[in-house]
Amino acid sequence: MHFHDDALFPEVQEPLVITAAPYGPEWEPADFEADLPLTMDQHVQQAVDCWNAGATVLHIHVRELDGKGSKRLSMFNELLGRLREAVPEMILQVGGSISFAPEGEGADAKWLEDDARHMLAELDPAPDQVTIAINTSQMNIVELMTPEDIAGTSFERPEVWAAYQDMVVPASPTWVIEHLKRLTANGIQPHFQLSSIPQLETVERLIRRGHYMGPLNLTWVAIGGGFDGPNPYNMMNFISRVPDGACLTLETLMRSVLPVNTMAIAMGLHCRNGNEDTLWGLPGQKLTSVQQIEQLVRITGELGRDVATGKDAHDIYRIGQTYNSVDETLAKLGYAPNRAQGQVGFTFHA
Protein backbone atom coordinates (compact mmCIF):
# COMPACT_ATOMS: atom_id res chain seq x y z
CA MET A 1 0.00 0.00 0.00
CA HIS A 2 1.20 3.49 -0.80
CA PHE A 3 0.82 6.49 1.51
CA HIS A 4 0.96 9.81 -0.35
CA ASP A 5 1.51 13.14 1.39
CA ASP A 6 -2.23 13.56 1.90
CA ALA A 7 -2.91 9.94 2.95
CA LEU A 8 -3.73 10.86 6.56
CA PHE A 9 -6.30 13.49 5.57
CA PRO A 10 -9.76 12.06 6.35
CA GLU A 11 -11.35 13.61 3.26
CA VAL A 12 -9.31 11.31 0.98
CA GLN A 13 -9.85 8.16 3.04
CA GLU A 14 -12.56 5.57 2.49
CA PRO A 15 -15.31 5.50 5.12
CA LEU A 16 -14.34 3.29 8.05
CA VAL A 17 -15.68 -0.26 7.97
CA ILE A 18 -16.06 -1.61 11.52
CA THR A 19 -16.24 -5.38 11.92
CA ALA A 20 -18.02 -6.48 15.08
CA ALA A 21 -17.07 -9.84 16.60
CA PRO A 22 -19.63 -9.99 19.44
CA TYR A 23 -20.08 -13.73 19.99
CA GLY A 24 -16.80 -14.56 21.80
CA PRO A 25 -16.69 -18.35 21.29
CA GLU A 26 -13.62 -18.76 23.48
CA TRP A 27 -15.37 -17.35 26.56
CA GLU A 28 -17.94 -18.96 28.80
CA PRO A 29 -21.15 -16.94 29.29
CA ALA A 30 -20.33 -16.33 32.95
CA ASP A 31 -17.13 -14.55 31.89
CA PHE A 32 -19.22 -11.55 30.82
CA GLU A 33 -22.91 -12.29 31.29
CA ALA A 34 -23.92 -8.80 30.17
CA ASP A 35 -22.42 -9.26 26.71
CA LEU A 36 -22.11 -12.93 25.71
CA PRO A 37 -25.33 -14.08 23.99
CA LEU A 38 -26.80 -17.48 24.77
CA THR A 39 -30.26 -17.77 23.19
CA MET A 40 -30.94 -17.26 19.48
CA ASP A 41 -32.91 -14.11 20.29
CA GLN A 42 -29.88 -12.76 22.14
CA HIS A 43 -27.62 -13.56 19.17
CA VAL A 44 -29.91 -11.58 16.87
CA GLN A 45 -30.26 -8.67 19.29
CA GLN A 46 -26.47 -8.50 19.62
CA ALA A 47 -26.22 -8.03 15.85
CA VAL A 48 -28.92 -5.33 15.83
CA ASP A 49 -27.19 -3.46 18.65
CA CYS A 50 -23.81 -3.62 16.90
CA TRP A 51 -25.37 -2.37 13.65
CA ASN A 52 -27.07 0.52 15.44
CA ALA A 53 -23.76 1.44 17.08
CA GLY A 54 -21.98 1.72 13.71
CA ALA A 55 -20.64 -1.72 12.75
CA THR A 56 -21.32 -2.81 9.17
CA VAL A 57 -19.66 -6.26 9.17
CA LEU A 58 -20.72 -9.01 11.59
CA HIS A 59 -18.27 -11.83 12.40
CA ILE A 60 -20.47 -14.79 13.30
CA HIS A 61 -20.18 -17.69 15.71
CA VAL A 62 -23.10 -19.42 17.44
CA ARG A 63 -23.42 -20.62 21.02
CA GLU A 64 -25.55 -23.54 22.17
CA LEU A 65 -27.86 -23.13 25.17
CA ASP A 66 -25.34 -24.99 27.33
CA GLY A 67 -22.93 -22.13 26.66
CA LYS A 68 -20.56 -23.99 24.35
CA GLY A 69 -19.69 -22.86 20.85
CA SER A 70 -21.99 -24.55 18.35
CA LYS A 71 -20.66 -26.85 15.65
CA ARG A 72 -24.11 -27.48 14.16
CA LEU A 73 -24.62 -25.99 10.71
CA SER A 74 -28.36 -25.92 11.37
CA MET A 75 -27.74 -23.36 14.09
CA PHE A 76 -25.74 -21.20 11.67
CA ASN A 77 -28.50 -21.51 9.06
CA GLU A 78 -31.12 -20.43 11.58
CA LEU A 79 -29.06 -17.45 12.71
CA LEU A 80 -28.19 -16.36 9.17
CA GLY A 81 -31.86 -16.50 8.18
CA ARG A 82 -32.88 -14.33 11.09
CA LEU A 83 -29.99 -11.90 10.57
CA ARG A 84 -30.96 -11.36 6.92
CA GLU A 85 -34.26 -9.99 8.24
CA ALA A 86 -32.95 -8.16 11.32
CA VAL A 87 -29.86 -6.47 9.79
CA PRO A 88 -30.41 -6.69 6.00
CA GLU A 89 -27.70 -4.15 5.13
CA MET A 90 -24.98 -5.74 7.27
CA ILE A 91 -22.23 -7.88 5.73
CA LEU A 92 -22.55 -11.34 7.29
CA GLN A 93 -19.16 -12.99 7.78
CA VAL A 94 -19.03 -16.51 9.21
CA GLY A 95 -15.94 -17.44 11.20
CA GLY A 96 -14.19 -20.21 9.28
CA SER A 97 -13.23 -22.16 12.38
CA ILE A 98 -16.96 -22.77 13.01
CA SER A 99 -16.04 -22.89 16.69
CA PHE A 100 -12.76 -23.64 18.36
CA ALA A 101 -13.88 -23.78 21.99
CA PRO A 102 -13.16 -26.90 24.09
CA GLU A 103 -16.09 -29.32 24.31
CA GLY A 104 -15.58 -30.39 27.92
CA GLU A 105 -13.18 -30.48 30.84
CA GLY A 106 -9.72 -31.42 29.68
CA ALA A 107 -10.70 -31.23 25.99
CA ASP A 108 -8.55 -29.59 23.37
CA ALA A 109 -9.48 -26.27 21.84
CA LYS A 110 -9.50 -27.16 18.18
CA TRP A 111 -10.94 -26.26 14.83
CA LEU A 112 -13.21 -28.75 13.09
CA GLU A 113 -11.88 -31.21 10.55
CA ASP A 114 -11.34 -30.24 6.91
CA ASP A 115 -14.53 -31.80 5.54
CA ALA A 116 -16.69 -30.20 8.22
CA ARG A 117 -15.31 -26.73 7.47
CA HIS A 118 -15.95 -27.24 3.76
CA MET A 119 -19.64 -27.44 4.65
CA LEU A 120 -19.60 -23.69 5.39
CA ALA A 121 -19.85 -23.26 1.62
CA GLU A 122 -23.28 -24.94 1.83
CA LEU A 123 -24.85 -22.63 4.42
CA ASP A 124 -28.39 -21.54 3.58
CA PRO A 125 -28.90 -18.65 3.37
CA ALA A 126 -25.34 -18.09 2.23
CA PRO A 127 -23.30 -15.56 4.16
CA ASP A 128 -21.52 -12.76 2.29
CA GLN A 129 -18.14 -13.97 3.50
CA VAL A 130 -16.42 -16.86 5.24
CA THR A 131 -13.05 -16.23 6.84
CA ILE A 132 -10.25 -18.48 5.64
CA ALA A 133 -6.93 -19.31 7.25
CA ILE A 134 -3.78 -19.84 5.16
CA ASN A 135 -0.96 -22.28 6.03
CA THR A 136 -1.36 -24.53 9.07
CA SER A 137 0.04 -22.69 12.09
CA GLN A 138 0.09 -22.42 15.85
CA MET A 139 -2.68 -20.28 17.32
CA ASN A 140 -1.72 -19.88 20.95
CA ILE A 141 -4.14 -17.10 21.84
CA VAL A 142 -3.07 -17.01 25.50
CA GLU A 143 0.57 -16.17 24.84
CA LEU A 144 -0.05 -12.42 25.09
CA MET A 145 -2.72 -12.57 27.79
CA THR A 146 -1.80 -11.04 31.13
CA PRO A 147 -3.08 -12.06 34.58
CA GLU A 148 -5.33 -8.96 34.42
CA ASP A 149 -6.80 -10.11 31.09
CA ILE A 150 -8.02 -13.41 32.50
CA ALA A 151 -8.91 -12.29 36.03
CA GLY A 152 -12.33 -13.62 36.99
CA THR A 153 -12.78 -15.58 33.75
CA SER A 154 -12.75 -19.24 32.76
CA PHE A 155 -9.17 -18.80 31.50
CA GLU A 156 -8.00 -18.85 35.09
CA ARG A 157 -8.67 -22.60 35.06
CA PRO A 158 -5.40 -24.32 34.11
CA GLU A 159 -7.11 -26.81 31.78
CA VAL A 160 -8.71 -24.02 29.73
CA TRP A 161 -5.45 -22.12 29.49
CA ALA A 162 -3.61 -25.29 28.41
CA ALA A 163 -6.21 -26.09 25.75
CA TYR A 164 -5.80 -22.73 24.03
CA GLN A 165 -2.03 -22.69 24.49
CA ASP A 166 -1.74 -25.74 22.23
CA MET A 167 -4.39 -24.80 19.65
CA VAL A 168 -3.45 -25.23 15.96
CA VAL A 169 -5.11 -23.77 12.86
CA PRO A 170 -5.33 -26.48 10.16
CA ALA A 171 -5.02 -24.92 6.69
CA SER A 172 -3.06 -27.18 4.34
CA PRO A 173 -2.58 -26.15 0.68
CA THR A 174 -4.92 -28.90 -0.56
CA TRP A 175 -7.67 -27.83 1.83
CA VAL A 176 -7.27 -24.11 1.03
CA ILE A 177 -7.51 -24.64 -2.74
CA GLU A 178 -10.60 -26.83 -2.38
CA HIS A 179 -12.22 -24.44 0.11
CA LEU A 180 -11.71 -21.44 -2.18
CA LYS A 181 -13.22 -23.43 -5.04
CA ARG A 182 -16.33 -24.31 -3.02
CA LEU A 183 -16.84 -20.84 -1.57
CA THR A 184 -16.57 -19.02 -4.88
CA ALA A 185 -18.79 -21.60 -6.64
CA ASN A 186 -21.54 -20.68 -4.17
CA GLY A 187 -21.05 -16.92 -4.42
CA ILE A 188 -19.39 -16.57 -1.01
CA GLN A 189 -16.44 -14.22 -0.80
CA PRO A 190 -13.40 -15.45 1.16
CA HIS A 191 -12.01 -13.10 3.76
CA PHE A 192 -8.35 -13.97 4.33
CA GLN A 193 -7.24 -13.99 7.98
CA LEU A 194 -3.47 -13.66 7.87
CA SER A 195 -0.91 -13.92 10.63
CA SER A 196 2.17 -12.67 8.83
CA ILE A 197 3.86 -11.78 5.54
CA PRO A 198 4.57 -15.45 4.60
CA GLN A 199 0.81 -16.11 4.60
CA LEU A 200 0.24 -13.00 2.47
CA GLU A 201 2.81 -14.32 0.01
CA THR A 202 0.94 -17.62 -0.17
CA VAL A 203 -2.27 -15.74 -1.03
CA GLU A 204 -0.45 -13.94 -3.83
CA ARG A 205 0.76 -17.27 -5.23
CA LEU A 206 -2.78 -18.69 -5.08
CA ILE A 207 -3.96 -15.70 -7.12
CA ARG A 208 -1.10 -15.93 -9.62
CA ARG A 209 -1.89 -19.62 -10.21
CA GLY A 210 -5.60 -19.00 -10.74
CA HIS A 211 -6.96 -20.54 -7.55
CA TYR A 212 -8.71 -17.30 -6.59
CA MET A 213 -9.99 -14.54 -8.88
CA GLY A 214 -11.82 -11.80 -7.04
CA PRO A 215 -11.53 -8.86 -4.63
CA LEU A 216 -8.93 -9.22 -1.90
CA ASN A 217 -10.22 -8.58 1.62
CA LEU A 218 -7.60 -9.20 4.29
CA THR A 219 -7.32 -9.02 8.04
CA TRP A 220 -3.92 -8.80 9.71
CA VAL A 221 -4.41 -10.90 12.86
CA ALA A 222 -1.80 -9.81 15.40
CA ILE A 223 -2.42 -12.07 18.38
CA GLY A 224 1.03 -13.60 18.93
CA GLY A 225 1.52 -17.30 19.65
CA GLY A 226 2.46 -18.23 16.09
CA PHE A 227 0.97 -15.04 14.61
CA ASP A 228 2.53 -11.59 14.41
CA GLY A 229 2.37 -9.67 17.67
CA PRO A 230 0.76 -6.20 17.82
CA ASN A 231 4.06 -4.45 17.29
CA PRO A 232 3.97 -1.32 15.08
CA TYR A 233 7.02 -2.56 13.17
CA ASN A 234 5.22 -5.82 12.33
CA MET A 235 2.12 -3.85 11.39
CA MET A 236 3.88 -1.46 9.02
CA ASN A 237 5.92 -4.25 7.41
CA PHE A 238 2.71 -6.13 6.69
CA ILE A 239 0.92 -3.03 5.40
CA SER A 240 3.81 -2.25 3.07
CA ARG A 241 3.38 -5.64 1.38
CA VAL A 242 -0.39 -5.43 0.87
CA PRO A 243 -1.27 -4.55 -2.74
CA ASP A 244 -2.97 -1.25 -3.42
CA GLY A 245 -6.25 -2.79 -4.56
CA ALA A 246 -6.80 -4.83 -1.38
CA CYS A 247 -8.96 -3.86 1.58
CA LEU A 248 -7.12 -4.29 4.90
CA THR A 249 -8.54 -4.63 8.42
CA LEU A 250 -6.38 -4.77 11.54
CA GLU A 251 -7.14 -7.18 14.39
CA THR A 252 -5.45 -7.94 17.67
CA LEU A 253 -6.51 -8.95 21.18
CA MET A 254 -7.10 -7.70 24.70
CA ARG A 255 -5.87 -4.21 25.57
CA SER A 256 -3.93 -3.85 22.30
CA VAL A 257 -7.24 -3.69 20.40
CA LEU A 258 -7.98 -0.01 20.97
CA PRO A 259 -4.52 1.40 20.12
CA VAL A 260 -4.19 -0.80 17.02
CA ASN A 261 -7.70 0.21 15.88
CA THR A 262 -6.89 3.87 16.51
CA MET A 263 -3.85 3.56 14.24
CA ALA A 264 -5.99 1.84 11.63
CA ILE A 265 -8.50 4.68 11.72
CA ALA A 266 -5.78 7.32 11.35
CA MET A 267 -4.15 5.50 8.41
CA GLY A 268 -7.33 4.96 6.42
CA LEU A 269 -7.50 1.22 7.13
CA HIS A 270 -10.38 -0.67 8.77
CA CYS A 271 -11.13 -1.99 12.28
CA ARG A 272 -12.40 -5.01 14.14
CA ASN A 273 -13.45 -5.29 17.77
CA GLY A 274 -15.92 -7.02 20.06
CA ASN A 275 -15.82 -9.56 22.85
CA GLU A 276 -14.14 -12.21 20.68
CA ASP A 277 -11.09 -9.93 20.64
CA THR A 278 -11.25 -8.30 24.05
CA LEU A 279 -13.44 -7.87 27.11
CA TRP A 280 -11.57 -4.82 28.30
CA GLY A 281 -11.35 -1.07 28.07
CA LEU A 282 -9.22 0.55 30.76
CA PRO A 283 -7.52 -1.83 33.21
CA GLY A 284 -10.15 -3.79 35.11
CA GLN A 285 -13.00 -2.16 33.17
CA LYS A 286 -15.09 -4.45 30.98
CA LEU A 287 -16.54 -2.98 27.79
CA THR A 288 -19.38 -4.57 25.86
CA SER A 289 -19.04 -5.07 22.12
CA VAL A 290 -21.43 -2.17 21.53
CA GLN A 291 -19.45 0.11 23.84
CA GLN A 292 -16.28 -0.79 21.95
CA ILE A 293 -17.93 0.13 18.64
CA GLU A 294 -19.24 3.40 20.06
CA GLN A 295 -15.73 4.21 21.23
CA LEU A 296 -14.33 3.74 17.71
CA VAL A 297 -17.11 5.87 16.24
CA ARG A 298 -16.19 8.69 18.65
CA ILE A 299 -12.50 8.46 17.75
CA THR A 300 -13.33 8.39 14.05
CA GLY A 301 -15.47 11.48 14.47
CA GLU A 302 -12.68 13.32 16.24
CA LEU A 303 -10.38 12.57 13.31
CA GLY A 304 -13.03 13.69 10.82
CA ARG A 305 -13.32 10.38 9.00
CA ASP A 306 -16.73 9.05 7.99
CA VAL A 307 -18.06 5.73 9.28
CA ALA A 308 -19.22 3.42 6.49
CA THR A 309 -22.89 2.85 5.82
CA GLY A 310 -24.04 -0.61 4.81
CA LYS A 311 -23.84 0.38 1.14
CA ASP A 312 -20.37 1.86 1.66
CA ALA A 313 -19.17 -1.39 3.23
CA HIS A 314 -20.57 -3.51 0.39
CA ASP A 315 -18.86 -1.24 -2.14
CA ILE A 316 -15.53 -1.19 -0.28
CA TYR A 317 -15.52 -4.99 0.11
CA ARG A 318 -16.82 -5.42 -3.46
CA ILE A 319 -19.36 -7.96 -2.27
CA GLY A 320 -20.70 -10.05 -5.14
CA GLN A 321 -17.87 -9.21 -7.56
CA THR A 322 -15.56 -11.73 -9.22
CA TYR A 323 -12.93 -11.37 -11.92
CA ASN A 324 -12.64 -13.31 -15.16
CA SER A 325 -8.94 -14.10 -15.38
CA VAL A 326 -5.67 -14.16 -13.50
CA ASP A 327 -4.50 -11.11 -15.45
CA GLU A 328 -7.62 -9.14 -14.55
CA THR A 329 -7.32 -10.14 -10.89
CA LEU A 330 -3.67 -9.09 -10.70
CA ALA A 331 -4.45 -5.77 -12.36
CA LYS A 332 -7.48 -5.03 -10.14
CA LEU A 333 -5.51 -5.83 -7.00
CA GLY A 334 -2.44 -3.82 -7.99
CA TYR A 335 -0.05 -6.74 -8.32
CA ALA A 336 2.44 -6.78 -11.18
CA PRO A 337 1.42 -9.20 -13.97
CA ASN A 338 2.82 -12.70 -14.25
CA ARG A 339 5.93 -12.99 -16.37
CA ALA A 340 5.19 -13.89 -19.97
CA GLN A 341 7.18 -16.73 -21.52
CA GLY A 342 10.57 -15.45 -22.59
CA GLN A 343 10.11 -12.09 -20.85
CA VAL A 344 13.14 -10.75 -18.98
CA GLY A 345 13.53 -7.89 -16.53
CA PHE A 346 10.93 -6.47 -14.20
CA THR A 347 7.20 -6.61 -14.93
CA PHE A 348 5.03 -3.49 -14.70
CA HIS A 349 1.40 -2.55 -15.07
CA ALA A 350 0.84 0.11 -17.71
Side-chain angles (χ1 to χ4, degrees), residues 167-337:
M167 186 164 64
V168 172
V169 179
S172 69
T174 301
W175 177 83
V176 167
I177 291 169
E178 177 64 21
H179 202 53
L180 287 171
K181 178 181 176 182
R182 295 189 188 201
L183 291 176
T184 54
N186 288 307
I188 300 171
Q189 186 183 81
H191 189 110
F192 296 92
Q193 300 280 106
L194 305 180
S195 73
S196 57
I197 287 172
Q199 292 186 1
L200 178 61
E201 291 177 333
T202 292
V203 172
E204 179 180 351
R205 294 181 192 114
L206 289 165
I207 291 167
R208 291 190 178 280
R209 293 166 186 170
H211 296 300
Y212 176 65
M213 293 182 289
L216 185 56
N217 291 293
L218 308 171
T219 295
W220 176 63
V221 187
I223 59 175
F227 288 50
D228 273 346
N231 181 308
Y233 288 108
N234 292 339
M235 180 179 69
M236 292 309 302
N237 281 334
F238 188 91
I239 291 169
S240 71
R241 296 292 298 275
V242 172
D244 297 334
C247 176
L248 178 61
T249 296
L250 303 187
E251 174 189 341
T252 183
L253 83 173
M254 298 303 156
R255 287 183 54 226
S256 294
V257 169
L258 180 59
V260 166
N261 277 336
T262 301
M263 288 186 278
I265 294 170
M267 289 189 292
L269 305 175
H270 303 285
C271 294
R272 172 178 143 147
N273 63 6
N275 57 39
E276 184 172 339
D277 300 342
T278 186
L279 304 180
W280 305 106
L282 296 174
Q285 174 194 29
K286 286 183 177 176
L287 281 188
T288 67
S289 299
V290 166
Q291 288 171 332
Q292 293 177 43
I293 296 163
E294 292 171 340
Q295 186 179 54
L296 292 188
V297 170
R298 289 195 299 271
I299 293 168
T300 306
E302 288 293 326
L303 289 173
R305 185 177 173 190
D306 292 334
V307 176
T309 64
K311 183 182 184 305
D312 290 334
H314 279 76
D315 290 345
I316 290 166
Y317 272 24
R318 295 176 174 84
I319 297 296
Q321 293 187 27
T322 57
Y323 304 140
N324 296 317
S325 68
V326 172
D327 288 342
E328 182 186 9
T329 305
L330 293 171
K332 291 279 191 182
L333 300 183
Y335 279 123

Side-chain angles (χ1 to χ4, degrees), residues 68-197:
K68 308 227 179 266
S70 180
K71 296 172 171 62
R72 291 192 292 151
L73 294 182
S74 60
M75 292 283 288
F76 283 81
N77 288 335
E78 180 182 354
L79 180 57
L80 286 166
R82 293 189 59 177
L83 291 173
R84 285 295 184 205
E85 295 183 2
V87 284
E89 297 180 64
M90 208 168 195
I91 294 173
L92 303 184
Q93 177 193 94
V94 170
S97 64
I98 302 182
S99 179
F100 48 72
E103 289 276 10
E105 190 166 332
D108 293 334
K110 64 180 182 179
W111 292 36
L112 288 195
E113 301 301 323
D114 291 356
D115 287 344
R117 287 184 292 147
H118 281 323
M119 292 303 295
L120 292 176
E122 308 297 329
L123 289 169
D124 183 21
D128 299 293
Q129 293 186 323
V130 168
T131 61
I132 182 170
I134 299 294
N135 298 339
T136 298
S137 61
Q138 188 73 46
M139 189 180 177
N140 171 12
I141 65 171
V142 299
E143 185 176 73
L144 295 182
M145 289 187 185
T146 67
E148 292 76 21
D149 290 333
I150 67 169
T153 75
S154 55
F155 277 70
E156 285 189 309
R157 301 205 305 271
E159 66 273 16
V160 173
W161 178 277
Y164 283 106
Q165 185 177 47
D166 290 333
M167 186 164 64
V168 172
V169 179
S172 69
T174 301
W175 177 83
V176 167
I177 291 169
E178 177 64 21
H179 202 53
L180 287 171
K181 178 181 176 182
R182 295 189 188 201
L183 291 176
T184 54
N186 288 307
I188 300 171
Q189 186 183 81
H191 189 110
F192 296 92
Q193 300 280 106
L194 305 180
S195 73
S196 57
I197 287 172

